[in-house]
Amino acid sequence: MATVVEQPQDAGQPSQDTGTAEATASAAIVEIRSRINEIDDAIIALWKERSALSQQVGKTRVASGGTRLVLSREREIMEKFREALGADGTQVALLLLRAGRGPL
């Protein structure tokens, strides 16, 4: 296991981790980033769960003689994300849909 050796930081120099040398701001950034990391972990877990569920829907539909995908449902999802998140929402929806059904 490698040992991490921290180099002393010159006073007044920005911290590499937070981008600021000001102690109060640096502490606030560390705290905020901690919450961001928690949110990222939740997003990843939900992404994986959604993808698995979507794959299950597709397999069930195809096994019962249905189509591989339902375009009206995909449009509905894209619109939902676009309305909630703006133009970036469309991109998020496209990535979510692809994770669940695979590339077209």
Side-chain angles (χ1 to χ4, degrees):
M1 179 181 236
T3 304
V4 176
V5 178
E6 291 191 26
Q7 299 296 322
Q9 183 176 327
D10 293 331
Q13 293 297 312
S15 164
Q16 288 182 333
D17 293 333
T18 63
T20 182
E22 203 281 311
T24 303
S26 185
I29 290 168
V30 168
E31 186 175 330
I32 293 165
R33 285 183 177 167
S34 176
R35 180 63 183 135
I36 288 171
N37 291 341
E38 291 172 359
I39 292 168
D40 288 347
D41 291 343
I43 290 170
I44 291 167
L46 290 168
W47 183 285
K48 288 179 178 181
E49 180 182 3
R50 187 195 191 287
S51 178
L53 291 169
S54 182
Q55 290 171 17
Q56 187 177 357
V57 166
K59 287 176 185 175
T60 302
R61 187 173 44 246
V62 169
S64 68
T67 60
R68 180 171 168 249
L69 57 95
V70 177
L71 292 176
S72 61
R73 171 71 175 151
E74 292 206 357
R75 280 192 299 270
E76 178 185 319
I77 292 166
M78 288 176 38
E79 182 62 18
K80 177 180 182 177
F81 276 80
R82 187 195 62 73
E83 286 179 5
L85 303 173
D88 288 341
T90 302
Q91 296 303 311
V92 171
L94 287 169
L95 291 170
L96 278 171
L97 292 167
R98 182 176 178 172
R101 60 147 156 75
L104 292 176

